[in-house]
Amino acid sequence: MKLSNNTFRRLILATILPLSAIFCATAQLVAHFPMIAEEGKIKETQTDRTFKIQGKFDAENIPGAEGQALRLDGYTSHINAQINAQALNGSSFTFTLWCAIESYPMMNNDGAVNSYTYLAGNLNETTRSGFAFLLSAQGDYSFEYYAAGWPVKVTVQATDKLPRYEWNHLAAVIDIHRDEILLYRNGQIVSAFNGVPTPASVGGDDFVIGKSFEDIKTGLFLMNTINGAIDDIRIYN
């Protein structure tokens, strides 16, 4: 029997969410972007705020892992959104999204330089805070965050490449009480941080989807944007 997308998502979440988030009555969904474009905007459901989809072309919804997903054109489209970062507990939170990548980001004119951009996140190199899922020009992917109290970046790097032309569910779990910092793809652990688990500096409210905060351009076009679809971004305490 083929599982529905909703059933598949529930099974994945049951695998990846910390036990405290599954069974504790105080577990909290801090941010949720269903990634449905309406009048050129997407909504964050926990605050009911909407954010404009940036780009040279009309926003496009396609069938997604959860209803409709937003397709990003790989040249211009991205979203400058916001979350309530101060509601996050840096010692115990889970960050998830679905993505279906068509091609890896160009990043630069030298394919030998394996630079990274964001799938989504608020990782801020200036303030040395926040967290993000990253994807490189050669298909490597990771979860990164800045540790609280000292400006050290924690990287949880997958050992495989992110498959293209298929839906992938990424989840990062920080649970300092269980000494775990884990990265999952489709419900399977693909990496675990080997150092001393450290709480995250949760960063500011600015949250970017489809690129990193910086602009890397060739002419009119951005080189550090995601080409593919992103769906159902969620952040849990």
Side-chain angles (χ1 to χ4, degrees), residues 8 17 44 48 75 108 110 133 143 145 157 160 181 192 224:
F8 184 46
L17 286 176
E44 195 288 295
D48 209 34
Y75 297 100
N108 53 71
D110 183 358
F133 286 119
F143 170 69
Y145 72 88
Q157 180 75 49
D160 60 341
I181 304 172
N224 62 325

Side-chain angles (χ1 to χ4, degrees), residues 144-210:
E144 293 188 354
Y145 72 88
Y146 272 102
W150 51 328
V152 175
K153 187 185 290 183
V154 175
T155 299
V156 188
Q157 180 75 49
T159 57
D160 60 341
K161 304 289 186 181
L162 186 66
R164 293 175 291 178
Y165 296 104
E166 65 183 61
W167 282 107
N168 290 283
H169 186 269
L170 300 183
V173 176
I174 296 177
D175 193 341
I176 302 303
H177 305 297
R178 299 173 66 190
D179 293 329
E180 290 182 344
I181 304 172
L182 305 173
L183 174 61
Y184 292 78
R185 182 170 70 83
N186 295 338
Q188 301 296 315
I189 296 173
V190 292
S191 186
F193 182 62
N194 291 324
V196 178
T198 306
S201 173
V202 296
D205 290 351
D206 291 340
F207 186 89
V208 66
I209 302 169

